[in-house]
Amino acid sequence: MLTRSSPAHRSLSLPRLSLRRPQSVARHPCLPSFHTSTRRLLTARVDLPPRRRKIPQDTYGSAPIFQRSLATAIGDPIRQDDIPFEHMPSHMPNSFMQPLPHPRLYDIRPFDSSSLLQIKALDDAPPRMRMNVNGIPGGVDEMMSVFDACIQVGKLDRAALVLSRLSDAAVLSPHEMVALHNQYLRAYLNRAFEQPDVEWARSIHKWYELHIRGKDLPQTSETIACMLKVSLLSARGVRLERLVTRYLDMMPGDAMYQVLSEMDILSQQDFGTIASIYQPASDLFEEFDFSPEEQSSSSVAPATSTSPSEPKKSERDESPEVLSVPQKGLGLQSLRSVLTFFSKVKGEDVSRLTIPERREIQARMEQDCVDAAINRWREENEALKKMGLNAALSTHALNSQLYEWQHALETRLEKEFALFEKSESRDKKTAEDHDRCITAPFLSQSTPSRLAAVTIICVLNSISSTGVDSGIQLSTLLNQLSKGVEDDIKVLIRQRQSPPKFKRGKRIRQPKVAKQQDGSVSSPAESPSAEADAKPKTVEPAAFQTKAWPLLIRTKVGAVLLSALMDTAKVEMVREHPETKALVSQRQPALSHTTMHRRGKKVGLVMPNKFLVELLKREPPADFLARHLPMLSEPEPWTKFDKGGFLEFPAQLIRVKYGEKDQRIYAEAAMQRGDLEQVSKGLDVLGRTGWRINGPVFDVILDAWNSGERVANIPPLHPNIPTPVEPEASDNPLQRREWFRALRAAENLKSGLHSERCFMNLQLEIARAFRDQTFYFPHNMDFRGRAYPIPTYLNHMGADHVRGLLRFAKGKELGESGLRWLKIHLANVFGYDKASLKEREAFMLDHIDEVYDSATSPLTGKRWWLKAEDPWQCLATCFELKAALDSPDPTKYVSHLPVHQDGTCNGLQHYAALGGDLWGAQQVNLEPGDRPADVYSAVAELVKRGIAEDMEADNFLAKAVDGKITRKVVKQTVMTNVYGVTFTGAKAQVLKQLDAAYPNFHQDTDVPAAIAASYIATKIFKGLSSMFRGAHDIQYWFGECAGRVCRALTPEQIERIAQGGEEIPKPLKSNSRKQPKTATDHLLTHFRSTVVWTTPLRMPIVQPYRKTGVRVIATSLQDLSLQVPERSDPVNRRKQLQAFPPNFIHSLDASHMLLSALECDELGLSFAAVHDSFWTHASDIDVMNRVLRDCFIRIHSEDVIGRLLSEFQARYKGALYLAKVDRGSAVEKKITKLRKDKKRTLTEELVHEYERVRLLSSADPKDVKKGKKMVTPASIFEEMSATQPYSSADEMEALGLGNIPNAEAEAKVIDDLEGDGEDDDFSTPAGLDDIEGELGFSNPEHFKALMDVSRFESEITGAAKAKAKKPTNLGSLNIWLPLNFPDVPAKGDFDVARLKESKYFFS
């Protein structure tokens, strides 16, 4: 691609605004050859006269190309590097830079720490102002969102007020302000076309003179083009000539080219008029050769025109005839009527249509789901009226009542819309007026009818998904409702802003030349574009953005809609009079708002009416937004952060929680410079896998469901849960407390089963609708890179019944190998997965009769399949095996069943490879073996061995649990320990297994099951720590690195502090009882460096854990205290360092999965994954297993930890961190003496040390000499060759692999990771939580004595005070040290290449 050079002095910073462009204003066909995709400020230096310059054009002749500055090269879409660099020798002393001879998509790219993606840190956000008298909010992000919404709906007077307040506040740069002004000018031009006004041109000229020129804002080509358009439309004769000449004379030379590239503003007719008035422009046009390739048109085709293949509205609304199937709930017809595309295909398989037709159907399904729901509610309501029934009195008429809700809510919103103008124009505004001023621009982007439907759908789905009995938290409901409304409005905006279909006019042919920065001319063959390989290292993100609604907007919009729904939605309560037996009805609100106290805080709840609860249990809502449903066409490939997956519905590449900006900024920058090519294409591979419903399994599930009985994991319709008998009044209050706890447990169990059944009902409804179709699951990722399907309810990551329902759309012949693996798969899903492959194959032959019986009579036969670990998947396999064995040649049978290969505790596999643990590698099948090793059984044996030793010492706990340790008891704890489970979590996991296996454990052993669970968890942790010693050391290294990063200040921060812009205050005195804040406490607020690393697939991972501030937002329902995350928030150091080890392992297994997906796709395999469980056809298992091993070896053959260390050293170069030195040491004494002499503050020491480091790194020997003479605490530390201890050891104690924390460390972890717990239960044994970790059950007799003492008695008598004495801690001293990282732990002897021979790595 040929480009013209930019002037050297132009700014290299990215624009800080992310703004949507409104519709174009040109009303005639334009010159496409003048198009450019960027906006450049008119500050270019003029080196050549305009008539001598030519606009370079791309190789396709579609548009001229203007080279952007280096930083803006990040705006390019994903692309493959088309310039080979393999032949170039690398001179970097980096062991990770090993160029591949012919890089393939599934190869790991070379790592270069010098080209890391860095995001420039932002200054503190400007203080939030109060809402002014005009109803304009005070936050900059809020003002910009309101401005953008006002532009969308044409509220230009309100947009002008926002611009004026932004200008007065002076919080945006001139470049940002002129970008907003350009949007305003474009919107004004559009209004001029639609609503001609005599004064409109004068108003625009006045605005331009006062607010743009008058305030010396830097004008862009877009600004000048807009003013030229105004002049051409409003002036004639001499005035027009004067205005055109005036505006074009303002341009600095070659900027004329930029103005002439504004094809969406200026039409071809405008260019002709300009050329006739302005001679330099006329000379420019003479240089171009016009060739009439296609006839131009005088009008633009409307964007909303209906394509020939699109059916008419009447065809879309026609309901198809559907065979009725006996099922409780809505059934197929109710759901299919939501999806209007079925009215055209009439049950045919959509996959047989052409790709464009399938995409058209999918797009219409995404667009029409809301309108279709309204139509269905109306039709059911009218059908009941024709039958002479009252919809409100019909006990099974939820959907007809929804139409009444929708109609009432629509009427209420129409009244609300009518009040918008009055509230905005009122001089003295009330609180309601201020709320309307904020919400009006956003709600006006939709219609009352559509808003009402989206509100009903979102509220009912949110309540159903969380459990209809217990209600839903108000803040959660408002967030989900506003998110649904925001997404729906984005779909509407995208439809309105779809590009018009131009007919091409005259195309301008250009010589393919490009200007270099020195003015020379080169051809593409001689010199590749510098822009093509430009990869910026540091990117300046947008300070403010309007892509997502700010928290204030979302909360206000959600509150308005929810409040209106609660006021209008009614249900008719029908009850029988106890005496007269007559039916009595009463209209009651369907939803109510209440408050309750949770963990000492007042929490708002939205509770559904009991009658509505009964309706939702019988008839769950079958109205889904597009993101809830699978796709009927292949998902859109991911090309941008927010472009991919669904065709119309907005989706994000990475699931980022609201307000967490860092991950999105890094991901967008990496996406735009091409770093996420492998990741995005890996997600595309997962999305392209076609699925179908397994018909035989679905029929069995439907029969089981309609029976109302418990079958496998299907909850019973009427569960038999006995209610505990209330005890008689007695002097012992503990008896009633125990009864209350048992009663609450029974209610929770019943409510949980109801919630499960409601959720399962939604899944079955979707499965029925898609039964005859091929469908797809678009995927995205969490911030660690783990892939998830976007459709919520029905996907292959669901429970056993959902996995049993799904099969591949594409089938493959089994062959000998496939038939063998299908038999092995039966053993795996049955639970016989720890035997050898031969034994598993023989398992099927040994149970051939049971297999045939299960497939022939699944519910009326022996029901052998229900004994399986995964019964529904076992039944699916039985159906497949029977069909294959009954065929003439089983090896020729075309199988559609996904066959799974599961890793052996995948997290421990990565840890064993990282640490080189030979013993650990053997336990997780990294080492070849004749039989599969089982780490869970190995840990269970270690636990049994420890218990046997304690029994010899007559330990009563060992006697209580002897013979009760099984693989199942320890499995979950072992599996989750690698991902950071706390000791408290491990105890709960073991307790759950003990309660399930031994419900009468306490009565049989006289030992509470909770105490036994703590004892067993202790043994599990000890066994893990001995088995994975190398992994244990790496976890601590991870934590120490993260801890240092989170206590570091960047060079930019230090420079601001040195210049006085970011002062660290001195200790403050306080009259409160709390301890006064020290300088260190204030310093903690400046620690903002989060842990960032890059995966082997070049995806940047940013940990989001910060100490977020809280903002109180007043709504019509209640005042809400909501967290408002900001990039300037200080990091939560404890969460950062404790979450880093499991998150890093997650990022590795995600990289392994995506790498495997890419290679399998290259080999033609169908591929699906559930984290560490990989699926393909039975005939392809051998190939997939080879790919899995090769990809794992490819990742771990490199020095993963060494590469991470190299990245940390480059990413945090030049930073200083606050280290701790133990008091009483020789280093501490010498530093204390220095401080007494120098009397420097902590801030002064920071600046002094930064200056010393700067001088030592200088190339000038004099500076180096000067730096060596400086004496600082860090220089003393280095002089005495002190080694920095692991300052994060205390925080890692509670989460280290196999580490048993003390009570204090455990409490801190629970407080940080899980929030404040509930009040202590004073009926639990006294102090056991305090002593079990510290004593480690080393004093069983004391432990046994405390078992009979309640916590209340313990607190009164002090019985639990006998704790182990802690060593005296003298404290520590804080000093500034250059940020370096500890040495990587030594690696063990295991060679990952031996994995090639392991056939049980995944099996």
Side-chain angles (χ1 to χ4, degrees):
M1 185 179 291
L2 296 174
T3 61
R4 179 164 56 83
S5 303
S6 304
H9 73 278
R10 284 186 179 153
S11 171
L12 296 182
S13 64
L14 276 174
R16 300 174 69 191
L17 289 173
S18 176
L19 302 169
R20 290 197 292 264
R21 291 175 60 96
Q23 288 181 314
S24 60
V25 297
R27 288 301 189 266
H28 300 284
C30 309
L31 295 176
S33 59
F34 283 104
H35 173 68
T36 180
S37 60
T38 60
R39 300 276 176 263
R40 297 200 297 175
L41 298 177
L42 302 184
T43 57
R45 185 176 56 219
V46 184
D47 295 329
L48 292 176
R51 68 189 67 184
R52 302 297 301 167
R53 288 179 176 259
K54 296 189 177 183
I55 303 176
Q57 194 168 353
D58 67 2
T59 56
Y60 298 95
S62 61
I65 304 301
F66 292 95
Q67 180 179 352
R68 292 175 289 178
S69 56
L70 177 60
T72 60
I74 201 168
D76 290 335
I78 292 182
R79 55 171 176 78
Q80 296 185 11
D81 292 334
D82 50 2
I83 304 175
F85 292 98
E86 303 90 70
H87 63 283
M88 299 178 62
S90 174
H91 302 288
M92 295 189 62
N94 193 334
S95 59
F96 311 109
M97 292 286 293
Q98 297 179 358
L100 299 170
H102 298 287
R104 299 164 299 187
L105 192 58
Y106 50 86
D107 284 325
I108 296 178
R109 308 295 168 83
F111 175 76
D112 181 7
S113 60
S114 65
S115 63
L116 290 175
L117 185 64
Q118 299 270 28
I119 303 298
K120 183 179 179 181
L122 292 177
D123 299 334
D124 290 341
R128 193 180 304 275
M129 300 175 288
R130 292 180 179 271
M131 182 178 295
N132 66 10
V133 294
N134 294 319
I136 306 299
V140 180
D141 54 344
E142 296 156 5
M143 284 190 278
M144 293 180 63
S145 292
V146 170
F147 172 80
D148 187 69
C150 289
I151 293 294
Q152 291 290 338
V153 299
K155 290 179 176 287
L156 300 187
D157 295 338
R158 300 288 300 171
L161 292 175
V162 176
L163 278 178
S164 298
R165 186 169 196 192
L166 284 170
S167 179
D168 295 339
V171 292
L172 298 181
S173 69
H175 298 164
E176 295 168 336
M177 283 301 303
V178 80
L180 295 177
H181 280 290
N182 289 342
Q183 272 194 293
Y184 179 75
L185 292 176
R186 280 177 170 269
Y188 221 122
L189 279 172
N190 280 328
R191 173 185 282 187
F193 284 111
E194 298 164 2
Q195 303 173 5
D197 185 3
V198 177
E199 297 295 328
W200 73 270
R202 185 179 301 174
S203 300
I204 295 183
H205 283 295
K206 183 178 179 181
W207 181 271
Y208 170 78
E209 295 296 338
L210 291 178
H211 297 281
I212 300 179
R213 285 203 71 199
K215 296 189 177 181
D216 294 328
L217 294 181
Q219 303 171 50
T220 67
S221 61
E222 187 178 5
T223 313
I224 299 298
C226 287
M227 298 313 299
L228 283 172
K229 187 71 174 181
V230 173
S231 303
L232 291 168
L233 291 174
S234 63
R236 295 292 183 272
V238 177
R239 174 174 171 78
L240 175 60
E241 294 178 3
R242 179 170 55 83
L243 289 173
V244 170
T245 303
R246 176 175 182 261
Y247 287 126
L248 290 178
D249 282 345
M250 292 179 185
M251 298 188 303
D254 68 337
M256 182 192 306
Y257 296 98
Q258 297 292 331
V259 176
L260 297 181
S261 71
E262 300 291 344
M263 56 169 286
D264 51 349
I265 299 176
L266 299 172
S267 66
Q268 183 174 348
Q269 182 179 351
D270 296 333
F271 285 121
T273 305
I274 292 173
S276 66
I277 294 175
Y278 196 67
Q279 185 59 37
S282 177
D283 296 340
L284 172 66
F285 285 113
E286 290 178 359
E287 298 186 17
F288 294 92
D289 175 29
F290 289 84
S291 60
E293 295 184 1
E294 296 180 11
Q295 182 127 11
S296 62
S297 172
S298 60
S299 63
V300 178
T304 58
S305 62
T306 305
S307 61
S309 60
E310 183 178 356
K312 298 179 181 179
K313 187 177 188 303
S314 60
E315 295 176 357
R316 292 204 311 264
D317 292 342
E318 182 184 350
S319 299
E321 296 182 2
V322 183
L323 293 177
S324 59
V325 179
Q327 178 188 350
K328 296 183 175 73
L330 294 176
L332 181 59
Q333 182 176 2
S334 60
L335 183 60
R336 282 192 170 181
S337 59
V338 178
L339 311 176
T340 58
F341 67 89
F342 280 110
S343 63
K344 177 182 178 181
V345 299
K346 294 187 182 296
E348 295 178 2
D349 186 359
V350 175
S351 63
R352 298 178 181 176
L353 303 177
T354 64
I355 293 178
E357 289 175 324
R358 281 155 46 196
R359 289 175 62 86
E360 179 188 350
I361 290 174
Q362 173 62 32
R364 194 179 325 129
M365 184 181 76
E366 296 176 22
Q367 296 169 3
D368 293 352
C369 57
V370 176
D371 293 334
I374 299 174
N375 292 335
R376 179 170 63 86
W377 299 341
R378 182 188 302 112
E379 289 169 3
E380 293 196 16
N381 185 273
E382 292 174 353
L384 284 177
K385 289 182 179 179
K386 290 179 181 179
M387 296 168 59
L389 299 177
N390 186 340
L393 295 179
S394 177
T395 57
H396 295 280
L398 171 63
N399 294 281
S400 59
Q401 291 191 42
L402 293 185
Y403 176 68
E404 295 183 355
W405 291 11
Q406 195 272 339
H407 181 71
L409 182 56
E410 180 182 354
T411 303
R412 170 66 179 271
L413 291 178
E414 287 175 350
K415 296 179 180 179
E416 184 73 14
F417 273 49
L419 296 173
F420 287 163
E421 294 291 340
K422 295 180 180 180
S423 295
E424 291 171 349
S425 59
R426 191 170 291 151
D427 293 334
K428 293 184 178 181
K429 293 180 172 60
T430 63
E432 290 80 5
D433 293 331
H434 282 141
D435 285 349
R436 289 193 185 101
C437 288
I438 293 177
T439 59
F442 299 92
L443 295 178
S444 299
Q445 296 178 69
S446 186
T447 63
S449 175
R450 193 174 182 92
L451 286 172
V454 173
T455 300
I456 293 171
I457 292 172
C458 289
V459 169
L460 291 184
N461 282 334
S462 298
I463 293 176
S464 298
S465 61
T466 57
V468 293
D469 292 297
S470 57
I472 185 172
Q473 193 166 322
L474 176 62
S475 58
T476 302
L477 182 57
L478 288 179
N479 181 65
Q480 295 178 1
L481 170 57
S482 60
K483 183 66 169 62
V485 173
E486 181 183 3
D487 288 343
D488 186 66
I489 288 178
K490 286 181 178 179
V491 172
L492 296 177
I493 293 175
R494 184 177 298 180
Q495 294 174 18
R496 289 195 293 262
Q497 292 185 342
S498 58
K501 299 177 181 179
F502 291 99
K503 291 184 178 180
R504 289 189 178 274
K506 295 180 180 180
R507 177 177 297 180
I508 298 178
R509 291 182 177 176
Q510 278 227 151
K512 298 178 181 179
V513 294
K515 294 284 184 181
Q516 304 300 317
Q517 289 198 2
D518 58 359
S520 62
V521 179
S522 65
S523 67
E526 296 172 355
S527 174
S529 170
E531 183 186 16
D533 192 51
K535 288 193 176 183
K537 302 175 185 176
T538 303
V539 176
E540 183 177 355
F544 310 100
Q545 53 86 30
T546 59
K547 292 181 179 178
W549 292 355
L551 180 66
L552 174 69
I553 306 298
R554 297 181 68 172
T555 306
K556 295 283 189 181
V557 169
V560 168
L561 296 174
L562 181 60
S563 178
L565 178 63
M566 294 174 66
D567 290 342
T568 56
K570 308 292 182 181
V571 292
E572 196 83 13
M573 290 288 294
V574 181
R575 291 290 183 267
E576 186 181 79
H577 194 280
E579 297 179 358
T580 64
K581 305 301 180 181
L583 292 179
V584 180
S585 65
Q586 180 185 19
R587 291 185 65 81
Q588 296 182 356
L591 302 169
S592 61
H593 170 242
T594 185
T595 58
M596 65 179 298
H597 286 82
R598 287 182 178 176
R599 300 174 182 175
K601 297 179 181 178
K602 189 177 180 180
V603 177
L605 291 178
V606 175
M607 301 294 298
N609 189 289
K610 292 183 178 179
F611 183 69
L612 178 61
V613 170
E614 295 174 3
L615 283 178
L616 289 174
K617 287 179 180 178
R618 286 197 307 266
E619 188 179 355
D623 304 299
F624 306 96
L625 299 178
R627 68 176 181 271
H628 298 148
L629 300 171
M631 297 182 65
L632 291 175
S633 65
E634 290 187 3
E636 190 79 8
W638 287 103
T639 54
K640 294 182 181 179
F641 181 86
D642 53 359
K643 185 172 177 55
F646 293 109
L647 304 185
E648 299 287 339
F649 204 86
Q652 294 182 347
L653 177 71
I654 298 176
R655 302 182 176 196
V656 180
K657 291 184 179 180
Y658 173 76
E660 294 173 356
K661 301 180 178 66
D662 285 331
Q663 181 63 62
R664 174 161 189 159
I665 292 170
Y666 270 94
E668 286 182 334
M671 192 85 173
Q672 290 168 348
R673 79 169 191 170
D675 285 353
L676 297 188
E677 179 190 18
Q678 291 174 293
V679 170
S680 59
K681 290 189 176 180
L683 293 176
D684 294 342
V685 169
L686 299 176
R688 285 198 301 268
T689 299
W691 300 88
R692 292 184 73 92
I693 296 298
N694 192 323
V697 176
F698 179 78
D699 292 336
V700 177
I701 291 182
L702 199 60
D703 290 341
W705 175 266
N706 289 338
S707 71
E709 300 176 358
R710 174 185 289 277
V711 179
N713 65 331
I714 296 180
L717 180 61
H718 303 290
N720 183 19
I721 301 175
T723 301
V725 180
E726 184 176 359
E728 298 180 358
S730 65
D731 295 334
N732 188 356
L734 294 182
Q735 290 184 358
R736 188 164 189 85
R737 186 178 183 88
E738 287 293 334
W739 168 79
F740 181 76
R741 291 178 63 185
L743 180 64
R744 185 171 58 180
E747 292 177 350
N748 289 340
L749 178 59
K750 185 180 297 184
S751 176
L753 292 176
H754 277 307
S755 299
E756 287 182 31
R757 191 166 178 91
C758 288
F759 188 78
M760 195 174 291
N761 204 344
L762 297 177
Q763 294 173 324
L764 295 181
E765 291 292 351
I766 298 174
R768 292 193 67 183
F770 285 83
R771 181 172 183 176
D772 299 324
Q773 307 300 329
T774 296
F775 50 89
Y776 305 85
F777 300 129
H779 283 65
N780 61 3
M781 305 175 290
D782 64 8
F783 76 94
R784 302 164 300 185
R786 304 197 92 186
Y788 295 88
I790 301 178
T792 310
Y793 301 108
L794 183 74
N795 61 66
H796 61 290
M797 287 192 181
D800 171 51
H801 68 284
V802 179
R803 299 186 187 189
L805 274 174
L806 297 176
R807 64 181 182 90
F808 288 136
K810 178 183 178 182
K812 285 191 176 182
E813 290 185 359
L814 284 175
E816 292 290 345
S817 174
L819 183 60
R820 171 175 173 266
W821 277 109
L822 191 59
K823 297 174 182 177
I824 294 173
H825 180 64
L826 177 71
N828 288 342
V829 295
F830 194 86
Y832 189 68
D833 55 341
K834 298 308 169 187
S836 67
L837 295 178
K838 290 185 178 180
E839 292 171 340
R840 292 185 226 177
E841 186 179 358
F843 174 86
M844 180 268 168
L845 299 176
D846 295 339
H847 295 85
I848 188 67
D849 294 337
E850 288 86 349
V851 169
Y852 268 79
D853 178 76
S854 299
T856 305
S857 307
L859 295 178
T860 58
K862 301 176 182 177
R863 293 192 170 196
W864 172 79
W865 59 277
L866 287 176
K867 301 177 183 178
E869 189 173 294
D870 298 312
W872 292 112
Q873 295 176 74
C874 178
L875 179 62
T877 311
C878 291
F879 279 126
E880 196 80 358
L881 275 170
K882 180 180 181 298
L885 296 176
D886 288 347
S887 63
D889 184 355
T891 62
K892 297 293 182 180
Y893 176 75
V894 178
S895 174
H896 295 258
L897 188 74
V899 175
H900 313 169
Q901 295 290 277
D902 297 344
T904 308
C905 197
N906 194 236
L908 285 175
Q909 287 179 329
H910 284 286
Y911 262 128
L914 292 174
D917 288 312
L918 183 57
W919 186 20
Q922 292 172 346
Q923 303 305 320
V924 291
N925 292 308
L926 296 186
E927 273 280 314
D930 296 332
R931 296 183 60 82
D934 182 16
V935 64
Y936 310 117
S937 298
V939 173
E941 289 301 320
L942 291 176
V943 172
K944 292 177 183 178
R945 192 181 308 167
I947 291 173
E949 294 174 357
D950 289 347
M951 287 185 64
E952 294 178 359
D954 200 28
N955 188 317
F956 78 101
L957 291 172
K959 294 179 180 178
V961 301
D962 182 38
K964 297 179 174 61
I965 305 302
T966 63
R967 177 181 181 273
K968 192 172 184 179
V969 169
V970 306
K971 178 179 179 179
Q972 189 178 11
T973 303
V974 174
M975 185 188 306
T976 55
N977 189 270
V978 68
Y979 295 122
V981 68
T982 62
F983 188 71
T984 296
K987 291 187 291 186
Q989 291 169 349
V990 176
L991 177 60
K992 181 180 178 181
Q993 298 299 330
L994 286 180
D995 287 341
Y998 308 101
N1000 300 321
F1001 185 91
H1002 192 176
Q1003 293 84 344
D1004 296 340
T1005 63
D1006 292 331
V1007 175
I1011 304 304
S1014 297
Y1015 174 72
I1016 296 171
T1018 303
K1019 297 298 183 184
I1020 295 174
F1021 273 49
K1022 288 182 178 179
L1024 278 173
S1025 62
S1026 62
M1027 185 178 294
F1028 294 92
R1029 186 71 247 173
H1032 181 275
D1033 295 339
I1034 288 176
Q1035 271 194 331
Y1036 270 79
W1037 184 85
F1038 282 151
E1040 178 62 21
C1041 291
R1044 294 187 184 185
V1045 167
C1046 295
R1047 292 175 67 91
L1049 294 177
T1050 63
E1052 293 80 8
Q1053 284 181 295
I1054 300 173
E1055 289 176 1
R1056 286 200 297 267
I1057 292 173
Q1059 297 169 2
E1062 195 168 315
E1063 182 65 26
I1064 299 176
K1066 295 181 180 180
L1068 297 178
K1069 295 182 179 180
S1070 175
N1071 295 327
S1072 64
R1073 297 181 180 180
K1074 295 182 179 180
Q1075 293 293 328
K1077 289 187 176 181
T1078 65
T1080 305
D1081 294 329
H1082 287 282
L1083 190 60
L1084 293 177
T1085 63
H1086 294 272
F1087 292 146
R1088 301 167 186 170
S1089 298
T1090 184
V1091 180
V1092 182
W1093 72 95
T1094 308
T1095 70
L1097 299 188
R1098 299 191 297 179
M1099 176 183 174
I1101 308 294
V1102 186
Q1103 293 200 146
Y1105 315 113
R1106 296 183 181 272
K1107 295 180 179 178
T1108 304
V1110 176
R1111 181 182 178 186
V1112 178
I1113 297 179
T1115 70
S1116 57
L1117 296 169
Q1118 72 173 70
D1119 291 350
L1120 296 172
S1121 297
L1122 303 175
Q1123 292 185 340
V1124 187
E1126 296 290 348
R1127 293 187 62 216
S1128 56
D1129 292 336
V1131 294
N1132 188 323
R1133 179 173 180 267
R1134 185 181 296 273
K1135 281 190 178 181
Q1136 287 277 348
L1137 66 91
Q1138 290 173 345
F1140 178 41
N1143 285 342
F1144 185 80
I1145 296 301
H1146 277 307
S1147 70
L1148 282 184
D1149 64 46
S1151 298
H1152 176 231
M1153 186 274 290
L1154 290 173
L1155 211 61
S1156 303
L1158 290 170
E1159 186 167 356
C1160 286
D1161 182 66
E1162 185 81 11
L1163 298 173
L1165 275 65
S1166 295
F1167 184 88
V1170 182
H1171 301 320
D1172 59 350
S1173 176
F1174 301 151
W1175 303 4
T1176 191
H1177 290 92
S1179 58
D1180 293 330
I1181 287 293
D1182 290 325
V1183 178
M1184 186 182 74
N1185 277 335
R1186 178 193 60 77
V1187 170
L1188 298 182
R1189 291 191 295 267
D1190 289 347
C1191 290
F1192 192 90
I1193 294 171
R1194 209 174 299 143
I1195 290 175
H1196 288 283
S1197 293
E1198 296 188 358
D1199 187 0
V1200 177
I1201 303 299
R1203 183 177 62 189
L1204 178 65
L1205 175 62
S1206 176
E1207 177 178 355
F1208 278 172
Q1209 291 170 341
R1211 186 175 296 281
Y1212 304 105
K1213 183 179 180 181
L1216 299 179
Y1217 82 106
L1218 196 63
K1220 295 180 180 180
V1221 176
D1222 292 335
R1223 293 190 181 273
S1225 63
V1227 176
E1228 181 271 331
K1229 293 178 180 178
K1230 194 168 183 178
I1231 292 175
T1232 302
K1233 183 177 182 302
L1234 173 68
R1235 288 181 170 174
K1236 288 182 179 179
D1237 295 338
K1238 299 295 184 181
K1239 300 187 183 302
R1240 293 193 182 103
T1241 65
L1242 200 60
T1243 304
E1244 293 169 342
E1245 284 189 0
L1246 171 67
V1247 176
H1248 200 60
E1249 177 60 26
Y1250 183 70
E1251 176 65 14
R1252 185 182 78 92
V1253 173
R1254 186 190 68 80
L1255 293 173
L1256 290 176
S1257 60
S1258 174
D1260 188 349
K1262 294 182 180 179
D1263 288 345
V1264 176
K1265 185 176 181 181
K1266 183 178 178 181
K1268 290 181 177 179
K1269 290 183 179 180
M1270 294 178 67
V1271 179
T1272 65
S1275 67
I1276 295 174
F1277 189 88
E1278 295 170 358
E1279 176 188 349
M1280 301 185 69
S1281 299
T1283 57
Q1284 175 63 23
Y1286 275 16
S1287 60
S1288 304
D1290 292 340
E1291 288 91 342
M1292 285 300 297
E1293 181 180 2
L1295 291 177
L1297 185 64
N1299 211 58
I1300 306 171
N1302 58 41
E1304 183 179 357
E1306 177 78 354
K1308 289 181 180 179
V1309 172
I1310 295 174
D1311 182 61
D1312 279 338
L1313 299 184
E1314 302 176 5
D1316 297 327
E1318 297 182 1
D1319 296 337
D1320 290 334
D1321 187 350
F1322 283 90
S1323 66
T1324 56
L1328 296 184
D1329 290 337
D1330 297 331
I1331 69 168
E1332 62 189 16
E1334 295 180 12
L1335 299 181
F1337 301 99
S1338 60
N1339 190 348
E1341 294 303 323
H1342 176 65
F1343 197 89
K1344 186 175 183 179
L1346 288 177
M1347 283 171 45
D1348 298 327
V1349 181
S1350 71
R1351 180 179 291 274
F1352 179 78
E1353 294 172 324
S1354 161
E1355 295 294 332
I1356 297 298
T1357 63
K1361 301 288 184 177
K1363 300 180 181 179
K1365 292 184 178 180
K1366 299 180 180 178
T1368 304
N1369 186 4
L1370 299 178
S1372 58
L1373 195 70
N1374 290 320
I1375 65 171
W1376 295 104
L1377 291 178
L1379 180 55
N1380 49 38
F1381 298 94
D1383 294 334
V1384 176
K1387 198 170 183 178
D1389 299 329
F1390 172 68
D1391 181 9
V1392 73
R1394 291 180 54 79
L1395 175 61
K1396 273 187 175 293
E1397 307 302 325
S1398 175
K1399 57 184 178 180
Y1400 294 108
F1401 170 56
F1402 273 71
S1403 64

